[in-house]
Each structure stands twice: as C-alpha cells, then as structure tokens.
Amino acid sequence: MTALVAAISGLYGLVIGSFLNVVIWRVPRHESIVRPPSHCPKCETNLAVRDNIPVVSWLMLRGRCRYCDTAISPRYPAIELLTGVLFAAVGARFSHSWALPAYLVLTAALIALSFIDLEHYILPNRILYPTDGAMIVLLAGASALEHDWGALGRAAIAGAAAFAVFFTIHYISPRGMGFGDVRLSFLLGFSLGWLGWGEVLGGLFTGFLYGAVVGVLLIALKVRERRQRIPFGPFLAAGAMTFVLFGQPLVDWYQHLGR
Ligand SMILES: [Zn+2]
C-alpha cells in the first residue's frame, strides 16, 4: 500500500514539476500561468505533448528545443525530478493519512517559492496566499476525517506563534529577514503545527541551521561577499520539509538524547 501510494504520488509529482517550471518562470514576471500554452522561450513554437513529457523529453532531445535547437536549461528536468522524488517521499510518509493532499500541496508550493526566491529574492503573495488557504481547508478536512481537532488548533497556534517570532526578528533586523520570510513562517508554523510541537521547533530551527551553514560556507569559499544577500526562503523550506518527512524519528531521537 505504502509503495503504491509513493509510486503514484511520484508520477504525479513529475507532472506537477513540469507545471512548477511554468509557475517559477511566469509568476515573478507577472504573466498568466495558464495562457499562452508552454512554448520555447526563444522561437516561441508551442510545445506538443511529446515535447512536454517530464524529464523524458529533455533527455530525448538532449536538452535542446526540437524546433530551433536552442539549449534548454537542465534546471527544467531537475525541478521535475526533484518534485517527483519529494512527492514520492511525502506519499510514503502520509500513505495512511488524510493529510496527504495537504502536504503534497505544501511541497509543490515550497519548491516554487524556493526557486523564485533564489532567483528574484521574493516570495510572491500570489503563491503564498492560495497555499495558506489550501492548507487551512485541507488540514481542517483531514482533522475532521481523523477526528483530531486538537491538531488543527495546534496548527493555528503554531502558525500565529511562528509569525510573531519572525515578525520580531524582522522588526529588529529588517535587512536580515525580509517580510516575505515572515509571511512564509505562518505557512510553515501552521503546516508543521498540525504534525506536532516537536516538528514546529525542529523544522524552523533546522531552517536557520541550514541557512547559517550554507551562508558561512559561501562566504568561506568566497562565492559570496559578507554583505551580499542570501535568500532565506529556500533554507526555511528545506528545514520544514526535513521535519514533514522525518519529524517523527528526529523528534524521538532528540527526546531520547535528553534522557
Ligand atoms: Zn525553440
């Protein structure tokens, strides 16, 4: 059962990953995500179905447009593959939970937000707000089906608490943390809160840890200057995903250490 849910989620993820490529390109440029249909950015030929098969088309065409031979960035199949792998992992983790749709939505949104933040240093509200709405509705539904309203209450408190903490950090150091990160913290606090308090603390702390480690490495390796901005969203997203997927064993392990 778990393997089947993981496999179906993974295939679904490849297709969603292809859609996320469109979102990542168009949303920061204020373009519609439904029209025009997928086309080559160079020669603008509309892509046929056979040109649009996740990962496979890119490999078959050896990373070039079928019509004008322009090189197509390996980022496209990489995002499709990443989405497929993460969806399969979320499918395995939530194979016996009504919360599966909610955490697939969260995963897709965090991938789109992370890549947009890396490139444009923004976390668009056009993605954040609909994801907030979807998570509230889907996790309320999961709470109802699993008769666990406590989880939803905890999610709401965790979302508000994370927002308050991040807002305070932003207030003290607006350069260190943008307001996009503050908005993102509500989504992460809410989503992790539904799972448990250990997941909230672990997921957010791990996000800071990832950011600090990579930040220090980039400066040490002279890839970045100390003054240069490093987007924080992708690290928060990675920390949250770590605890969405592995929260239970990680929280158990941490509690075991404390004894
Ligand atoms: Zn082309």
Side-chain angles (χ1 to χ4, degrees):
M1 179 65 181
T2 298
L4 183 67
V5 176
I8 294 170
S9 302
L11 286 174
Y12 190 61
L14 290 173
V15 177
I16 295 295
S18 182
F19 171 68
L20 293 181
N21 277 319
V22 176
V23 170
I24 291 163
W25 178 265
R26 294 189 189 180
V27 167
R29 291 172 176 81
H30 303 285
E31 296 172 11
S32 161
I33 52 173
V34 282
R35 263 182 297 187
S38 293
H39 54 85
C40 167
K42 179 86 183 184
C43 68
E44 298 192 347
T45 310
N46 283 348
L47 298 185
V49 173
R50 62 173 180 167
D51 306 323
N52 228 345
I53 303 165
V55 186
V56 177
S57 293
W58 190 88
L59 291 174
M60 298 273 279
L61 296 167
R62 293 190 186 80
R64 295 192 168 274
C65 170
R66 187 194 298 277
Y67 309 99
C68 69
D69 216 37
T70 298
I72 296 164
S73 166
R75 202 182 82 172
Y76 289 90
I79 286 173
E80 289 162 354
L81 202 59
L82 174 71
T83 312
V85 169
L86 285 178
F87 266 46
V90 171
R93 161 74 174 81
F94 292 96
S95 62
H96 291 79
S97 168
W98 289 106
L100 174 61
Y103 289 96
L104 290 178
V105 166
L106 178 72
T107 304
L110 291 183
I111 292 169
L113 289 168
S114 295
F115 281 93
I116 291 171
D117 200 16
L118 281 173
E119 203 176 339
H120 303 276
Y121 300 92
I122 49 165
L123 295 163
N125 291 335
R126 235 177 110 192
I127 298 174
L128 268 175
Y129 291 160
T131 308
D132 284 340
M135 288 305 283
I136 291 167
V137 170
L138 291 171
L139 287 180
S143 289
L145 289 162
E146 296 185 358
H147 304 289
D148 187 0
W149 291 105
L152 193 67
R154 191 174 55 221
I157 297 167
F163 188 91
V165 170
F166 277 64
F167 184 83
T168 308
I169 300 172
H170 166 77
Y171 189 78
I172 296 167
S173 167
R175 272 185 59 85
M177 181 173 304
F179 203 71
D181 299 319
V182 178
R183 287 200 195 92
L184 176 64
S185 74
F186 170 80
L187 175 66
L188 300 181
F190 185 84
S191 308
L192 292 164
W194 197 84
L195 299 171
W197 286 114
E199 279 82 351
V200 177
L201 292 173
L204 296 178
F205 175 74
T206 304
F208 279 95
L209 193 67
Y210 288 161
V213 169
V214 173
V216 166
L217 275 177
L218 289 180
I219 291 165
L221 296 170
K222 304 210 190 304
V223 180
R224 291 265 170 159
E225 299 287 328
R226 194 177 293 271
R227 289 172 162 278
Q228 245 176 322
R229 255 195 85 192
I230 297 167
F232 194 31
F235 301 109
L236 290 174
M241 280 312 294
T242 303
F243 273 74
V244 165
L245 291 173
F246 310 112
Q248 276 171 347
L250 284 170
V251 170
D252 288 349
W253 174 72
Y254 188 76
Q255 281 174 343
H256 186 75
L257 281 183
R259 273 190 211 119

